[in-house]
Amino acid sequence: MSHAQNPEIMQRLRRASGHLASVITMVEEGRDCLLIAQQMQAVIKAIESTKRTLIHHHIDEHLGAAASALPADEARALVSEIKEVSKYL
């Protein structure tokens, strides 16, 4: 499955896009800097979370398939370990 076909990834991206559009409107309207900064931080967190979901999806799709030659326990452990390491990206 391609990343574009993953509904969770696309939904998260659309939500972050809408949130960013709201931040742009806040800036254009001259809203309070603190409120804008808080909303920008929320957008950043949403994008970071989406990036993690995208990477985990990629790991599941590609590494999972490559690891299928291993015994099931080893394959699951390998995929789990790679996902854990990916949080440091």
Side-chain angles (χ1 to χ4, degrees):
M1 171 192 324
S2 81
H3 304 304
Q5 294 171 330
N6 184 312
E8 182 181 3
I9 293 170
M10 295 309 297
Q11 180 181 18
R12 286 171 178 251
L13 286 172
R14 286 186 183 101
R15 191 177 311 129
S17 176
H19 202 158
L20 181 57
S22 296
V23 172
I24 292 169
T25 300
M26 291 175 73
V27 171
E28 291 171 342
E29 292 174 351
R31 302 277 302 271
D32 181 65
C33 182
L34 177 60
L35 293 176
I36 294 169
Q38 289 171 333
Q39 293 305 309
M40 289 176 81
Q41 185 62 32
V43 171
I44 290 166
K45 289 290 187 182
I47 291 171
E48 287 174 343
S49 174
T50 303
K51 179 179 75 170
R52 188 171 27 261
T53 300
L54 176 79
I55 291 169
H56 285 184
H57 177 256
H58 188 79
I59 289 168
D60 285 338
E61 291 292 314
H62 298 286
L63 183 60
S68 65
L70 298 172
D73 293 357
E74 288 181 39
R76 276 193 298 277
L78 178 62
V79 169
S80 179
E81 181 180 342
I82 297 297
K83 282 183 175 181
E84 185 65 23
V85 167
S86 74
K87 74 181 181 182
Y88 296 105
L89 292 173

